[in-house]
Amino acid sequence: MPDLQQALREAKALLMAKPNVHGLEVGVKVSDNPETNGLPCIVVKVERKLEPHLLSTDALIPKDVNGALTDVIVEPRVVMFASLTPLAEHRRARKIMCGGISTGRSLNSTGTLGLPSVYQGTRRCGLSNTHVWAAYWEDPNPPPYWFEGWQVRDGLPLYQPGALDLATGTKQARTGALLQWNVQGGPGATDSALQLWDAATLVSSRILGLGVCVASAPAEVGQHIRVSNRTTGTEEGTVLATGVTERIYTSPIGASYFDYDGLIKMTLCMGP
């Protein structure tokens, strides 16, 4: 049996380029054919199915890719929810650091401060992603996938807010330095980094729109959750699936916003 996760990663660019395709995941084939019904496969999600004779050859979904079966299902595309908190609150400069706000390096990165209060021994740190706080490229024209050709430097100075969220006339405040980073590709991908707070940086334990994080647990389908970040603000919904690759849209008729790929993948697929 082929490695479905590996087959999905290798076929992602081919399948996501097909018209009408908005998502992929590993699943089980549902078919009238008893020889293939129930077999593991790559699930290809489309907004509507068309008769094969109405599609060009390039638009057809192959019955198998890289040795893995495919199954085409109709499913609504994921649309960003309206934020429960003003998005500007997540992106503005702050005197006191908290989770869910904009952070980054001085010039070329912007992302979300996940947890503001994480301990490495006795040292109080903040948690974000390696690609937000640590990765950089020497090549002025980096490759299409951010994890190709990147390098990581320990001790990089880190700031709030991130460069993309700097309003005219505001300045980034240095908050600390990169202490530790970890990035691994493949299933169960890890992309995390710790910042050691500067002594003068004021830090709250709360997460904007959520409150104080007191525990962690694995995600399960059916859970009701709330998330907070500088990209989409504070949102809530129900976990629909885990380990998902999905194209996200800014509105029901909007253009593609961004794709998650094999290394940065959606841990959760959330619906209202």
Side-chain angles (χ1 to χ4, degrees), residues 11-247:
K12 176 182 178 288
L14 169 69
L15 295 175
M16 291 297 285
K18 303 284 186 183
N20 204 29
V21 173
H22 65 79
L24 307 169
E25 64 186 59
V26 171
V28 175
K29 189 172 181 69
V30 178
S31 171
D32 294 331
N33 183 348
E35 295 184 2
T36 58
N37 184 53
L39 292 179
C41 69
I42 295 175
V43 177
V44 181
K45 293 182 279 187
V46 299
E47 293 180 84
R48 64 188 185 281
K49 283 188 177 181
L50 299 174
E51 294 296 327
H53 70 273
L54 297 176
L55 296 170
S56 67
T57 302
D58 291 340
L60 290 171
I61 306 298
K63 294 183 177 181
D64 62 84
V65 289
N66 301 323
L69 291 173
T70 62
D71 192 18
V72 180
I73 65 170
V74 176
E75 187 175 287
R77 60 186 178 183
V78 175
V79 178
M80 288 186 179
F81 305 149
S83 178
L84 301 175
T85 53
L87 194 55
E89 284 296 296
H90 295 260
R91 298 181 176 182
R92 69 176 176 86
R94 290 180 169 270
K95 293 182 179 180
I96 301 176
M97 301 299 102
C98 64
I101 65 172
S102 175
T103 184
R105 295 188 306 283
S106 61
L107 295 176
N108 58 346
S109 74
T110 302
T112 298
L113 170 60
L115 290 176
S117 190
V118 179
Y119 283 90
Q120 182 77 349
T122 59
R123 295 179 292 187
R124 193 181 194 189
C125 305
L127 176 68
S128 186
N129 298 109
T130 299
H131 69 276
V132 174
W133 277 348
Y136 76 98
W137 294 261
E138 290 185 348
D139 185 349
N141 299 303
Y145 295 104
W146 65 268
F147 54 86
E148 294 180 357
W150 74 333
Q151 301 179 52
V152 178
R153 285 181 179 172
D154 295 330
L156 286 170
L158 303 172
Y159 298 84
Q160 198 284 322
L164 290 178
D165 297 328
L166 276 177
T168 303
T170 63
K171 295 182 179 180
Q172 287 179 305
R174 173 177 162 137
T175 55
L178 179 66
L179 175 65
Q180 182 178 320
W181 59 274
N182 183 26
V183 61
Q184 299 172 352
T190 301
D191 173 27
S192 61
L194 288 177
Q195 169 183 198
L196 180 62
W197 295 114
D198 284 346
T201 301
L202 300 177
V203 182
S204 166
S205 296
R206 74 183 184 93
I207 300 173
L208 183 62
L210 306 186
V212 177
C213 178
V214 296
S216 63
E220 296 181 359
V221 174
Q223 281 180 330
H224 185 79
I225 62 172
R226 178 175 284 193
V227 298
S228 176
N229 60 79
R230 58 80 48 196
T231 307
T232 58
T234 305
E235 306 167 310
E236 62 181 17
T238 301
V239 178
L240 304 179
T242 59
V244 177
T245 295
E246 186 71 44
R247 176 170 289 142

